[in-house]
């Protein structure tokens, strides 16, 4: 088994100690940090697939997310030292909508989108519509993601999309919504472009949008 | 609409029979409707959420109006706010069992007095029409699992409570003593308002039954001690510490839960339905892999549930999220011993896997009540009932999410009730 395979496998096995150990060794041996990040992306894709197949559960995604976060924190300073930057495939502004504080699902999306090569601006939880609008103005994202786990959030999503329209920014961004209380009704009502109950599918959709854009 | 020709007494006995039969797994005249509410009553009568969670008279008035204007079969849960903060109850299990059950923290006044860090409330930290938020938090370090395992009551009393309740941060201070005295007097105000509400609901013709509370031990750790996310990662990083803590928390939670339903015979006599129902909302159930689920979640929970069954109560378990992967676990419990209330699990699937092994409870997706048209609600309710009401032992909850969604359109709730009267009838 190559070191790359061993590295990816250790993440898929949620073997935190081994994954971090391997990342350390590779960095200290002067391996290209961009390669490590590429492999994180592969790992994230495989994790998403495992989740879709019912082999992985949410706790597994949370743990995998922790491991990937720790590894990218190890790699980032090295990248900076070398004056390199990772090529980003797009920019995502994401938040849990007003009135809602659930963030486990949103955090999984953040890690998976980052691993896939998105720059992610995470606005946190209970995010009012105006904050989404401000963030769109400031960061000019390609995509806006909203997470919603309680029913009051359905109205908040609509208000947010309306505020984005009012600010004249609706045609600048694609909007995807996710979370336990999201379905076709919620998508239609809020005026978002896509919905999902699964982070991996959501990230795939976002990557598809980025390909269309190019 | 309530059938006007029947007296409240007649309605009460009709509804009691219906509800009792369903609880026994039988086929009553039709499927009973047992609704749970957060803020729907506030919205329905035009109260702000802040008033609803602060003023017990207004809260009770709103709930009564809803039970007057709509036709249900029994009183589910109607509470003026966020989830209880249980650490305060649990510590009294051994020394003051009466306090372990009689103190509530589900209205804003308790938060104002104790300044707990678990919750935020409308009109205080939040705008007057935002629903109360239970945030939980991390109040315990990994290193402290062992201490928790050694003596959960002392650890929670001495370490967690001062950290989690602002007013009790210095237990021997005037602030803390004052807060506890105020808390005591507020508790009795709340209890008497709540009792009045029950009496008035009964006068409207709704049967009442003893209700208790239970908790999955791992959820207790996640919600009140370590925070959900940290609890999940602890299961991978420190499994033996979590296990040890669960081993000592489980008997405590089981004992506490049984206290919530231990009533003296004369108190029991005043209820219409004599079998206590013990509400157990589950949180982490859908998140764990089968291996973690079995060891860390199901086994401790099963102990609590079985102890309750052996105390002649009916555990009323709310399976939040999608429980499909674990449905078979319910076959480990004696037939007909629990009410299994499902949020997002497909009820048809439930019937296929479990048949009549459990009393099934559930409803439709919340978005349908909020955004759908009444015709659609009627149609979907009928479809659901036709597919799952047989072979009996089915209870309708409105929606899967917390019963009747706050934002449900009243005409949609009415449509669901009409559908129930038509398609919920057993031939
Ligand atoms: C864990 C939990 C909590 C934790 C949250 C911890 C945290 N920091 O997130 C705590 C205990 C703090 C909590 C608090 C409350 N909760 Co809560 N909670 C849950 C529970 C059990 C699980 C939610 C969860 O994390 N699921 C796991 C994640 C990973 O799933 P997910 O969000 O669907 O995410 C996946 C996809 O949807 C997708 N995704 C998610 N977001 C996005 C966004 C984008 C852009 C994309 C592409 C994809 C995507 O990716 C994820 C991975 O695939 C649910 C029940 C349920 N199963 O939904 C109730 C639930 C959501 N809670 C509920 C309630 C009522 C509350 C409280 C109000 C309780 C109270 N009375 O105080 C409070 C406060 C809520 C508020 N105002 O926000 C209700 C909501 C009812 C309603 N009105 O709609 C639920 C449905 C339970 C119920 N009663 O039925 N809760």
């Amino acid at each position: 088994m190559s070191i790359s395979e061993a590295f990816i496998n250790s993440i898929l096995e949620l073997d935190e100690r081994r994954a971090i150990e391997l990342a350390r060794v590779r960095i200290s041996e002067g391996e290209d940090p961009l390669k490590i990040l590429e492999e994180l992306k592969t790992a994230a894709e495989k994790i998403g697939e495992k989740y879709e197949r019912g082999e992985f559960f949410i706790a597994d995604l949370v743990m995998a997310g922790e491991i990937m976060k720790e590894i990218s924190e190890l790699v980032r300073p090295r990248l900076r030292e070398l004056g390199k930057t990772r090529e980003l495939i797009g920019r995502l502004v994401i938040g849990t909508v007003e009135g809602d504080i659930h963030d486990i699902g949103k955090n999984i999306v953040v890690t998976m989108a980052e691993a896939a090569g998105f720059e992610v601006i995470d606005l946190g939880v209970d995010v009012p519509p105006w904050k989404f609008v401000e963030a769109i103005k400031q960061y000019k994202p390609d995509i806006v993601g909203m997470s919603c786990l309680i029913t009051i959030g359905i109205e908040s999503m609509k208000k947010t999309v309306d505020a984005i329209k009012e600010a004249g920014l609706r045609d600048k961004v694609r909007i995807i919504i996710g979370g336990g209380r999201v379905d076709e009704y919620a998508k239609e009502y809020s005026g978002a472009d896509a919905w999902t109950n699964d982070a991996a599918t959501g990230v795939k959709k976002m990557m598809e949008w980025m390909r269309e854009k190019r | 609409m309530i059938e006007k020709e029947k007296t409240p007494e007649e309605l009460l006995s009709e509804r009691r029979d219906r509800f009792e039969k369903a609880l026994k797994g039988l086929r009553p005249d039709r499927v009973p409707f047992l609704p749970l509410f957060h803020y729907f009553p506030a919205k329905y009568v035009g109260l702000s959420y802040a008033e609803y969670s602060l003023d017990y008279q207004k809260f009770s008035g709103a709930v009564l109006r809803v039970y007057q204007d709509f036709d249900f079969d029994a009183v589910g849960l109607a509470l003026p706010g966020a989830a209880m903060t249980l650490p305060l109850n649990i510590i009294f299990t051994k020394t003051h069992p009466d306090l372990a059950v009689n103190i509530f923290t589900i209205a804003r006044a308790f938060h104002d007095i104790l300044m707990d860090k678990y919750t935020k409330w409308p009109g205080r930290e939040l705008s007057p029409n935002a629903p109360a938020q239970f945030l939980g938090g991390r109040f315990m370090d990994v290193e402290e699992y062992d201490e928790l395992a050694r003596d959960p009551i002392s650890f929670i009393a001495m370490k967690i409570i001062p950290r989690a309740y602002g007013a009790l941060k210095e237990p021997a201070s005037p602030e803390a003593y004052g807060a506890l005295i105020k808390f005591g007097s507020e508790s009795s105000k709340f209890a008497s308002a709540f009792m009045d509400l029950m009496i008035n609901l009964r006068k409207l013709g709704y049967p009442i039954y003893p209700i208790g509370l239970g908790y999955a031990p791992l959820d207790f750790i996640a919600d009140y001690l370590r925070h959900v996310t940290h609890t999940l990662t602890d299961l991978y990083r420190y499994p033996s510490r979590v296990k040890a803590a669960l081993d000592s928390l489980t008997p405590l939670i089981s004992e506490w839960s049984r206290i919530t339903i231990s009533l003296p015979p004369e108190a029991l006599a005043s209820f219409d339905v004599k079998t206590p129902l013990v509400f157990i909302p589950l949180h982490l159930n859908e998140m764990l892999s089968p291996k973690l689920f079995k060891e860390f979640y199901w086994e401790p929970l099963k102990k609590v549930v079985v102890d309750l069954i052996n105390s002649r109560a009916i555990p009323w378990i709310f399976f939040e999220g999608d429980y499909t992967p674990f449905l078979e676990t319910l076959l480990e419990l004696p037939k007909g011993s629990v009410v299994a209330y499902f949020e997002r699990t497909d009820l048809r699937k439930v019937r296929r896997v479990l048949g009549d092994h459990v009393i099934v409870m559930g409803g439709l997706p919340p978005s349908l009540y909020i955004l759908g048209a009444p015709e659609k609600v009627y149609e979907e309710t009928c479809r659901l009932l036709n597919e799952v009401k047989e072979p009996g032992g089915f209870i309708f909850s409105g929606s899967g999410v917390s019963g009747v969604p706050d934002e449900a359109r009243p005409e949609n709730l009415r449509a669901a009730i009409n559908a129930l009267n038509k398609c919920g009838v057993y031939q």
Side-chain angles (χ1 to χ4, degrees):
Chain A
M1 203 182 349
S2 72
I3 186 149
S4 296
E5 279 167 349
F7 176 66
I8 292 173
N9 280 346
S10 65
I11 300 175
L12 295 181
E13 281 156 18
L14 304 177
D15 188 342
E16 185 178 23
R17 221 173 284 155
R18 181 152 169 78
I20 288 173
E21 176 61 31
L22 286 173
R24 280 225 174 84
V25 168
R26 300 177 71 182
I27 293 170
S28 70
E29 285 176 358
E31 226 185 285
D32 184 353
L34 287 175
K35 181 152 185 267
I36 302 178
L37 287 179
E38 257 330 285
E39 288 171 11
L40 275 191
K41 181 175 163 182
T42 312
E45 277 163 15
K46 293 203 163 150
I47 287 164
E49 286 162 16
K50 273 176 168 283
Y51 181 69
E52 282 173 349
R53 285 200 302 267
E55 290 166 26
F56 257 19
F57 286 74
I58 287 157
D60 301 319
L61 298 187
V62 170
M63 192 61 215
E66 279 288 301
I67 299 173
M68 295 199 287
K69 217 187 316 168
E70 287 173 81
I71 293 173
S72 43
E73 273 158 23
L74 280 177
V75 173
R76 231 178 279 136
R78 182 74 189 128
L79 214 52
R80 241 178 280 127
E81 260 170 49
L82 297 173
K84 285 194 176 180
T85 47
R86 184 177 188 207
E87 200 191 324
L88 294 167
I89 64 165
R91 191 177 287 159
L92 165 71
V93 158
I94 191 169
T96 301
V97 295
E98 186 165 47
D100 190 349
I101 57 88
H102 297 85
D103 64 1
I104 298 171
K106 184 211 68 188
N107 292 346
I108 292 172
V109 178
V110 169
T111 331
M112 292 184 83
E114 275 176 352
F118 278 92
E119 179 187 355
V120 182
I121 294 108
D122 183 357
L123 304 177
V125 299
D126 198 358
V127 179
W130 66 266
K131 265 207 181 153
F132 276 101
V133 172
E134 286 302 303
I136 297 171
K137 287 185 185 154
Q138 188 179 345
Y139 300 105
K140 308 199 169 33
D142 306 286
I143 299 170
V144 172
M146 293 190 269
S147 186
C148 165
L149 275 89
I150 65 173
T151 49
I152 196 181
I154 300 174
E155 195 58 38
S156 307
M157 290 192 289
K158 180 175 168 50
K159 282 191 191 142
T160 307
V161 177
D162 287 348
I164 295 171
K165 276 187 197 148
E166 253 164 62
L169 299 166
R170 184 63 184 89
D171 57 346
K172 304 267 186 281
V173 291
R174 298 274 206 138
I175 301 178
I176 183 164
I177 60 178
R181 268 357 108 235
V182 160
D183 56 16
E184 188 62 31
Y185 284 105
K187 188 205 117 184
E188 288 301 317
Y189 180 71
S190 65
D193 298 310
W195 73 275
T196 175
N197 277 332
D198 158 4
T201 315
V203 172
K204 265 193 211 146
K205 184 85 210 164
M206 293 192 256
M207 290 168 75
E208 198 181 298
W209 282 344
M210 295 317 299
R211 277 195 296 275
E212 279 171 26
K213 217 172 165 175
R214 256 184 267 138
Chain B
M1 278 282 113
I2 292 188
E3 303 155 59
K4 285 286 178 297
E5 62 285 7
K6 288 181 187 149
T7 65
E9 291 75 24
E10 286 164 341
L11 282 170
L12 192 138
S13 99
E14 198 177 273
R15 287 166 173 157
R16 184 193 51 216
D17 287 352
R18 193 174 289 141
F19 186 43
E20 277 190 328
K21 280 202 174 123
L23 286 177
K24 289 190 180 123
L26 304 173
R27 299 160 84 248
D29 58 340
R30 73 157 164 77
V31 168
F33 189 169
L34 180 65
L36 290 81
F37 296 103
H38 276 158
Y39 295 93
F40 178 83
K43 268 220 137 87
Y44 182 68
V45 305
L47 270 182
S48 76
Y49 289 7
E51 287 171 291
Y52 185 76
S53 59
L54 203 52
D55 184 325
Y56 306 143
Q57 295 317 317
K58 289 183 178 163
F59 157 74
S60 303
V63 173
L64 279 172
R65 257 288 292 292
V66 169
Y67 273 91
Q68 208 155 28
D69 290 1
F70 297 88
D71 186 8
F72 307 114
D73 290 299
V75 180
L77 300 178
L79 304 167
M84 280 166 91
T85 63
L86 291 184
L88 214 48
N89 299 68
I90 290 278
I91 57 166
F92 294 123
T93 303
K94 305 278 183 198
T95 48
H96 300 280
D98 55 329
L99 290 179
V101 287
N102 284 331
I103 52 179
F104 294 96
T105 49
I106 38 177
R108 206 189 92 183
F110 301 110
H111 173 70
D112 292 353
I113 293 168
L114 295 173
M115 305 197 297
D116 68 271
K117 295 175 196 160
Y118 292 114
T119 57
K120 289 186 181 172
W121 289 79
R124 191 160 184 102
E125 295 88 355
L126 306 171
S127 75
N129 271 317
Q133 299 177 348
F134 182 91
L135 296 122
R138 183 166 76 178
F139 297 99
M140 175 188 136
D141 287 334
V142 173
E143 286 67 39
E144 291 176 317
Y145 268 116
D146 302 341
E147 211 177 321
L148 171 66
R150 228 173 298 132
D151 183 353
I153 290 186
S154 302
F155 175 71
I156 294 168
M158 318 263 203
K159 298 277 171 72
I160 299 300
I161 286 177
R163 292 175 196 163
Y165 299 86
L168 308 179
K169 69 172 182 276
E170 283 178 51
S173 65
E175 288 81 1
Y177 291 132
L180 288 173
I181 291 170
K182 285 192 182 156
F183 179 65
S185 79
E186 191 64 36
S187 280
S188 63
K189 257 191 256 168
F190 179 80
S192 86
F194 206 73
M195 179 84 92
D196 287 347
L197 174 59
M198 289 301 138
I199 292 169
N200 286 324
L201 284 165
R202 196 165 181 276
K203 282 189 193 146
L204 289 179
Y206 289 103
I208 57 171
Y209 52 92
I211 186 159
L213 197 62
Y215 229 73
L218 190 66
D219 285 337
F220 185 85
I221 295 180
D223 289 347
Y224 301 113
L225 307 177
R226 283 287 291 154
H227 188 270
V228 177
T229 308
H230 299 293
T231 306
L232 295 181
T233 53
D234 289 347
L235 294 176
Y236 298 88
R237 290 175 174 151
Y238 317 103
S240 55
R241 293 187 190 185
V242 182
K243 188 76 200 334
L246 286 170
D247 285 345
S248 62
L249 265 179
T250 301
L252 177 62
I253 290 178
S254 167
E255 184 178 351
W256 166 75
S257 183
R258 277 174 286 140
I259 297 173
T260 69
I261 48 152
S262 72
L263 291 167
E266 63 279 13
L268 195 59
S270 64
F271 288 97
D272 305 297
V273 176
K274 315 279 182 213
T275 317
L277 260 66
V278 183
F279 192 65
I280 312 180
L282 307 187
H283 290 152
L284 297 189
N285 54 305
E286 72 163 348
M287 302 196 193
L288 306 178
S289 61
K291 187 173 165 290
L292 293 177
F293 177 82
K294 183 166 172 31
E295 182 176 358
F296 293 93
Y297 199 87
W298 175 246
E299 288 303 332
L301 171 63
K302 187 169 145 188
K303 164 106 178 79
V304 174
V305 166
V306 168
D307 288 351
L308 285 165
I309 295 170
N310 291 337
S311 309
R312 275 193 279 277
I314 302 181
W316 171 18
I317 312 173
F318 183 28
F319 295 90
E320 296 188 7
D322 183 359
Y323 198 65
T324 312
F326 307 121
L327 279 174
E328 276 86 1
T329 54
L330 292 174
L331 295 170
E332 296 169 27
L333 301 172
K335 183 170 179 209
S337 62
V338 301
V339 174
Y341 172 17
F342 293 101
E343 188 212 336
R344 257 186 337 187
T345 316
D346 182 351
L347 297 178
R348 297 152 185 99
K349 185 112 196 230
V350 169
R351 280 298 198 195
R352 245 176 285 137
V353 178
L354 298 176
D356 59 352
H357 193 82
V358 297
I359 312 307
V360 178
M361 174 166 175
L364 301 163
S367 56
L368 192 60
Y369 283 92
I370 301 169
L371 307 171
E375 300 73 40
K376 180 89 179 145
V377 173
Y378 185 94
E379 189 191 314
E380 292 286 320
T381 309
C382 267
R383 194 152 61 150
L384 177 79
L385 289 167
N386 288 335
E387 291 180 50
V388 303
K389 72 169 188 279
E390 298 293 352
F394 181 73
I395 299 172
F396 185 64
S397 69
S399 168
V401 175
S402 318
V404 179
D406 303 344
E407 301 81 10
R409 293 162 61 189
E411 57 272 32
N412 283 347
L413 180 55
R414 214 153 259 139
I417 292 170
N418 291 339
L420 191 66
N421 281 317
K422 177 99 197 319
C423 308
V425 173
Y426 286 101
Q427 298 303 335

